[in-house]
């Protein structure tokens, strides 16, 4: 299978055009206006930095997600009392932001491990061996990639600490496979398992292969009448407990129908198999579209601070697929016969925390723009390694060099968010022949927002310039604001940051998701610059509503 998304077919979602224009105050919802979400009572999350929702309820319980926003394919490493996690970062540069926790609920960002991706990177695995740390990375060939031998290629980076410094990517010369899972066998050799039941032995230093690619296992197959996207066995994560090695797979596809993606397990007393499928597979699966969390899969099993075990995996939030695949935590229990079961029940309800010490959680999304924010807060979208030169910093300002002719092919800088409702504001000024603006950006085929070129404002919807001629005054300096109120999006602009004009068109963005555009990303705040000049951005402000 060439790509886990090959089986999806795109669909389009019509949007409502509204032609009102007025001077307006930004609406803010109060608690009394909360409604049911997807047929479920909306249980409010605790609020953290900038009003962002957070998991820790402060009373010994937590409410999923543990990382709100598009943090898919989690790989977790337990290292003494510390836990480290990273996720698929795809085309983002820098990528592979490392998160740190001591209780599996509160996570603080460290630094990105991958300065310059070689292609589209996803579904990595973290490992520690002989005191050194490794991240095994599949790179899919991107339009800007150079020197990648196959459509999918396995590399590794390594470091003396999870805080780095990380090496440059080392080519393992493995082509055509994705989703590496590292394990140390009972024979003392290191192995990588892959999608589709494949395996290879590694050298002792973990930086090269020591044998051929071979067939190793067959993932459990669900009944044919189940509604899933595709069989697509992927994401093998392996660990050893007691007398057994356990192999945890994702099957059923990654998005598509909400009941498709699922977690299955197998075990063997030797790393060489045979692998016995769990008698109560699937370990976890969304069984109804009425559940809060859809398409749950790609799990890492980890022992928690108190000795109990947990699965960390991803899922789409019902009604908010625009936020991408968010990171979830669910307890598991070990049965007398040596298997494990998911025991979290309804993940829309609070669960007991694992224990352990809480680290400072999350990070602010507001930015006065400094280089330290790159990779932790901001990242370039779909950019070749040399494109890093298109971003530079001045005191209190970020300067984006333009390219292309519009937001679709310009320089785009994005950041993750995980709130159902939020507003973003930025000040921008044009330098030279350029266009710049503020967007909610899924990918270069699907986005919406505003851009100015000094002569007019261009309104973007559905990944292209809209017909709507917004009568904004011609200006090379402007303040822009976007409010996303439960997926109803409103634009505002101001020349003085005091009197704000509401844009004449509102948008409904529920359809800006993976199943519409056949890409596993999320709708996120973005800045863009196009043309031959530059755009200066100042004072980006984020506020959850």
């Amino acid at each position: 299978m060439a790509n886990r998304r090959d089986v999806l077919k795109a669909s389009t979602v019509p949007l409502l055009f509204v032609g009102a224009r007025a001077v307006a105050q930004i609406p803010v919802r109060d608690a009394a206006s909360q409604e049911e979400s997807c047929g479920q009572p909306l249980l409010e999350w605790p609020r953290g930095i900038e009003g962002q929702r957070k998991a820790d309820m402060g009373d010994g319980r937590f409410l999923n997600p543990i990382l709100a926003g598009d943090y898919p394919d989690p790989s977790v490493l337990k290292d003494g009392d510390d836990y480290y996690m990273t996720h698929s970062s795809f085309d983002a540069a820098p990528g592979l932001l490392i998160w740190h926790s001591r209780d599996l609920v509160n996570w603080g960002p460290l630094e990105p491990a991958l300065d310059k991706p070689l292609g589209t990177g996803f579904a990595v695995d973290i490992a520690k061996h002989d005191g050194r740390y490794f991240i095994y990375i599949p790179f899919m060939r991107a339009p800007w990639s150079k020197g990648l031998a196959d459509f999918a290629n396995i590399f590794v980076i390594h470091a003396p600490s999870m805080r780095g410094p990380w090496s440059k990517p080392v080519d393992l010369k493995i082509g055509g496979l994705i989703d590496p899972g590292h394990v140390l066998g009972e024979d003392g050799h290191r192995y990588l398992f892959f999608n589709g039941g494949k395996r290879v032995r590694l050298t002792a230093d973990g930086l090269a292969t020591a044998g051929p690619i071979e067939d190793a296992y067959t993932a459990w197959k669900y009944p044919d009448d189940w509604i899933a996207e595709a069989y697509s066995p992927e994401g093998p994560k392996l660990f050893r407990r007691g007398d057994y090695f356990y192999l945890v797979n994702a099957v059923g596809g990654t998005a598509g129908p909400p009941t498709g993606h699922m977690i299955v397990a197998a075990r063997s007393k030797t790393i060489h198999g045979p692998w016995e499928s769990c008698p109560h597979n699937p370990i976890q699966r969304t069984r109804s579209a009425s559940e809060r969390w859809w398409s749950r899969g790609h799990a890492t099993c980890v022992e928690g601070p108190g000795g109990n075990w947990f699965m960390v995996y991803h899922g789409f939030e019902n009604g908010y697929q625009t936020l991408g695949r968010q990171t979830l935590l669910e307890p598991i229990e070990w049965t007398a016969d040596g298997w494990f079961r998911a025991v979290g029940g309804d993940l829309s309800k609070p669960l007991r925390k694992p224990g352990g010490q809480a680290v400072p959680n999350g990070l602010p999304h507001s930015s006065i723009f400094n280089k330290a924010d790159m990779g932790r807060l901001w990242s370039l979208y779909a950019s070749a390694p040399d494109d890093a030169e298109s971003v530079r910093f001045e005191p209190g300002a970020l300067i984006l060099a333009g390219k292309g002719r519009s937001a679709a092919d310009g320089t785009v800088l994005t950041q993750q968010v995980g709130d159902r409702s939020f507003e973003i504001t930025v000040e921008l000024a044009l330098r030279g022949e350029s266009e710049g603006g503020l967007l909610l950006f899924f990918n270069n085929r699907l986005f919406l927002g505003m851009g100015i070129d000094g002569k007019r404002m261009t309104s973007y919807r559905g990944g292209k310039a809209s017909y709507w001629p917004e009568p904004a005054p011609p200006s090379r300096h402007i303040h822009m604001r976007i409010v996303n109120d439960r997926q109803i999006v409103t634009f505002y602009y101001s020349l003085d940051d005091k009197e704000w004009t509401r844009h004449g068109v509102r948008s409904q963005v529920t359809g800006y998701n993976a199943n519409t555009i056949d890409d596993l990303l999320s709708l996120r705040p973005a800045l863009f610059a196009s043309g031959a000049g530059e755009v200066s951005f100042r004072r980006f402000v984020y506020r959850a509503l």
Side-chain angles (χ1 to χ4, degrees):
M1 181 171 174
N3 189 311
R4 69 179 73 189
R5 300 292 295 142
D6 282 348
V7 297
L8 282 188
K9 296 183 181 296
S11 61
T12 56
V13 177
L15 299 175
L16 177 65
F17 285 77
V18 181
R21 180 179 184 271
V23 177
Q25 299 294 318
I26 307 305
V28 178
R29 294 183 293 118
D30 57 29
S33 70
Q34 300 293 342
E35 300 174 357
E36 285 196 341
S37 174
C38 307
Q40 304 168 353
L42 180 58
L43 177 63
E44 275 297 304
W45 284 265
R47 296 291 171 167
I49 303 167
E50 301 164 332
Q52 299 173 37
R53 61 176 176 170
K54 63 178 185 177
D56 193 336
M57 303 191 74
D59 59 1
R61 302 179 300 161
F62 73 96
L63 181 61
N64 277 299
I66 55 171
L67 274 185
D70 193 26
Y71 294 102
D73 305 322
S75 179
V76 183
L77 174 68
K78 176 177 169 58
D79 188 22
D81 293 333
D82 296 294
Y83 298 87
Y84 298 98
M85 177 165 61
T86 194
H87 306 79
S88 294
S89 53
F90 297 105
D91 293 332
L96 296 185
L97 178 60
I98 304 295
W99 294 82
H100 170 250
S101 177
R102 289 196 163 185
D103 66 356
L104 292 175
V105 171
N106 293 281
W107 294 87
L110 300 181
E111 299 294 333
L114 187 64
D115 185 36
K116 295 181 178 180
L118 304 179
T120 303
F122 60 91
V124 305
D125 197 32
I126 308 174
K128 182 182 181 182
H129 185 75
D130 284 346
R132 195 157 188 86
Y133 298 83
F134 301 81
I135 303 179
Y136 290 91
I137 312 167
F139 284 121
M140 298 286 284
R141 188 185 293 149
W144 43 264
S145 295
K146 296 179 181 179
L148 292 182
D150 210 326
F151 77 94
N153 311 265
I154 306 298
F155 282 69
V156 61
I157 57 177
H158 55 95
S161 164
M162 284 300 292
R163 298 175 184 267
W166 290 92
S167 72
K168 293 182 179 179
V170 177
D171 189 358
L172 295 181
K173 302 187 185 307
I174 299 170
L177 296 172
I178 59 173
D179 295 17
H182 178 275
V183 66
L184 178 67
E186 81 282 359
D187 57 8
H189 293 301
R190 302 170 66 176
Y191 296 88
L192 286 183
F193 283 64
F194 303 100
N195 67 307
K198 304 295 185 181
R199 185 188 78 171
V200 70
R201 184 161 68 89
L202 298 175
T203 54
D205 63 6
L207 303 181
T209 60
I213 304 294
E214 55 190 357
D215 292 321
Y217 70 97
T218 300
W220 180 81
K221 180 67 167 67
Y222 50 85
D224 190 58
D225 60 351
W226 286 16
I227 305 300
E229 181 189 32
Y231 176 44
S232 188
E234 58 194 14
K237 299 293 183 188
L238 295 100
F239 63 98
R240 192 175 189 180
R241 182 180 185 272
D243 295 332
Y244 288 97
F245 289 91
Y246 293 85
L247 193 160
V248 182
N249 263 119
V251 297
T254 308
T259 56
H261 203 35
M262 64 193 83
I263 300 163
V264 302
R267 72 182 183 186
S268 172
K269 288 190 174 182
T270 167
I271 200 65
H272 304 294
W275 294 89
E276 171 194 8
S277 290
C278 179
H280 52 261
N281 275 332
I283 304 297
Q284 186 53 279
R285 175 194 177 214
T286 302
R287 288 173 167 79
S288 167
S290 65
E291 296 178 34
R292 173 168 291 171
W293 294 103
W294 288 4
S295 302
R296 292 186 278 170
H298 207 102
T300 298
C301 293
V302 63
E303 183 181 1
N308 294 320
W309 281 71
F310 294 82
M311 293 190 301
V312 184
Y313 57 88
H314 63 219
F316 284 106
E317 188 170 0
N318 186 347
Y320 291 87
Q321 291 170 280
T322 52
L323 292 175
R325 293 169 295 165
Q326 305 182 56
T327 304
L328 309 175
L329 179 68
E330 179 170 6
I332 58 177
E333 67 176 12
W334 291 95
T335 60
D337 57 357
W339 292 105
F340 61 93
R341 294 180 180 272
V343 292
D346 183 356
L347 293 194
S348 68
K349 297 179 180 178
L351 297 168
R352 185 178 299 278
K353 287 179 59 181
Q357 178 185 2
V359 302
N361 182 74
L363 76 165
H365 291 295
S366 298
S367 177
I368 58 172
F369 298 118
N370 59 69
K371 192 171 184 179
D373 283 345
M374 291 299 294
R376 297 176 80 249
L377 184 61
W378 298 102
S379 59
L380 282 166
Y381 166 78
S383 296
D386 292 343
D387 285 352
E389 298 175 0
S390 63
V391 180
R392 60 186 177 86
F393 297 89
E394 296 177 357
L398 177 142
I399 314 301
L400 280 187
K403 68 175 183 179
R405 296 167 46 176
S406 74
D409 58 357
T411 302
V412 178
L413 199 68
T414 73
Q415 64 158 277
Q416 294 279 18
V417 295
D419 293 299
R420 291 174 163 189
S421 297
F422 59 87
E423 68 174 35
I424 52 175
T425 305
V426 75
E427 175 186 359
L428 66 93
L430 306 179
R431 299 180 180 183
E433 294 299 316
S434 61
E435 180 188 2
L438 181 66
L439 307 169
L440 294 181
F441 188 88
F442 192 93
N443 66 11
N444 60 354
R445 295 177 291 145
L446 189 61
F447 54 86
L448 71 163
M450 299 168 282
I452 60 165
D453 62 5
K455 301 173 184 176
R456 64 184 65 83
M457 174 176 285
T458 299
S459 304
Y460 292 99
R461 297 208 313 168
K464 62 184 185 299
S466 166
Y467 80 92
W468 176 258
E470 178 64 23
S475 177
R476 297 180 60 82
H477 175 260
I478 200 168
H479 302 260
M480 292 182 175
R481 177 173 291 158
I482 295 178
V483 176
N484 183 352
D485 185 356
R486 292 171 292 178
Q487 307 199 98
I488 302 299
V489 171
T490 308
F491 306 152
Y492 300 84
Y493 52 91
S494 172
L495 297 181
D496 59 7
D497 198 24
K498 296 177 182 178
E499 296 292 326
W500 287 84
T501 299
R502 194 190 81 202
H503 188 282
V505 176
R506 283 194 174 98
S507 299
Q508 210 275 3
V509 296
T510 307
Y512 286 60
N513 66 57
N515 284 335
T516 299
I517 202 65
D518 194 21
D519 200 357
L520 290 166
L521 294 171
S522 65
L523 189 63
R524 57 191 73 179
L527 314 173
F528 85 92
S530 62
E534 298 179 326
V535 182
S536 167
F537 294 91
R538 293 181 178 273
R539 294 190 293 274
F540 180 88
V541 178
Y542 177 89
R543 182 167 67 104
L545 303 178

